Amino acid sequence: AFQSGPGIEMKRERADLLVLALTSLLVRGGERVALLGTGMTPVSGRAALNLLWTMIEGGQTPSDSLPRPEVLPRFARVVMIGDFLTPLDQVAEVIDGFAHRGLRGHLVQIMDPAEERLPYFGRVLFDGPEQEGEVLISHVESLRKDYQKELAQHRDGLRDLCRRFGWSVITHLTDRPPEQVLMALYLQLSETVRL
């Protein structure tokens, strides 16, 4: 639920928007969809979009950082949308669980621009949105270079992990139009179908 400023959309809201937009595109193409972690069986048509909208609006979507691998129909494709800032071994375990069932997938990493750039100066109190606690950092600007290096290494690790399993990963910043990432994801899904 992180949001660095009033003009920036909350990460959770952007993820919800992308889930609904992708669902709309997929059901128009005759695909069946389901939301991981809800027990929802794959459905098609307008009912799928209405069901997902109701779940999102009602706060019935999973709040776990990563989904648990589920049994899905053969040839299904998995799309996971999140920040994927969890340790890479945990992400690998989830992807491996789906990959061993013969499923391919795609990750959309959603980041706030402040998470990407760490634009803060001076003394800053950081409060983890997932009960990680508070950390007070004096001269946060002195950590910027190391922070960005760590983030780049994590992202490279995420790409390597996805490549190893035949998955794709796209990074999207919430200060950019959602249409860009939606089109890139849709093209990735179309490419996978042709393989």
Side-chain angles (χ1 to χ4, degrees), residues 19-85:
V19 165
L20 290 172
L22 181 61
T23 298
S24 179
L25 288 173
L26 292 173
V27 297
R28 285 182 191 173
E31 301 291 338
R32 295 183 307 150
V33 298
L35 190 60
L36 292 173
T38 63
M40 177 182 174
T41 55
V43 293
S44 62
R46 187 149 181 86
L49 191 57
N50 290 339
L51 183 56
L52 261 65
W53 170 256
T54 301
M55 293 169 105
I56 288 170
E57 281 298 300
Q60 299 169 329
T61 56
S63 59
D64 299 339
S65 291
L66 294 168
R68 290 183 178 82
E70 299 178 21
V71 176
L72 296 172
R74 193 171 180 206
F75 305 117
R77 297 293 174 253
V78 176
V79 177
M80 293 190 293
I81 301 174
D83 61 18
F84 302 103
L85 295 175

Side-chain angles (χ1 to χ4, degrees), residues 79 106 173:
V79 177
H106 312 276
L173 298 179

Side-chain angles (χ1 to χ4, degrees), residues 84-86 88 109 116 145-161:
F84 302 103
L85 295 175
T86 53
L88 290 175
Q109 183 184 41
E116 188 82 8
K145 217 172 224 174
D146 289 338
Y147 169 83
Q148 289 173 334
K149 182 179 175 183
E150 281 287 322
L151 182 61
Q153 287 174 342
H154 184 81
R155 189 168 289 144
D156 288 344
L158 199 56
R159 282 191 202 106
D160 291 344
L161 175 65

Side-chain angles (χ1 to χ4, degrees), residues 82-136:
D83 61 18
F84 302 103
L85 295 175
T86 53
L88 290 175
D89 61 329
Q90 292 177 23
V91 179
E93 187 178 325
V94 172
I95 293 175
D96 184 52
F98 284 117
H100 272 88
R101 290 175 171 85
L103 302 173
R104 296 193 52 202
H106 312 276
L107 303 183
V108 178
Q109 183 184 41
I110 300 201
M111 300 286 288
D112 186 277
E115 291 175 309
E116 188 82 8
R117 300 177 190 112
L118 195 64
Y120 309 111
F121 290 91
R123 190 173 147 148
V124 178
L125 178 66
F126 290 96
D127 185 16
E130 295 179 18
Q131 288 76 42
E132 299 92 346
E134 295 179 340
V135 176
L136 179 64

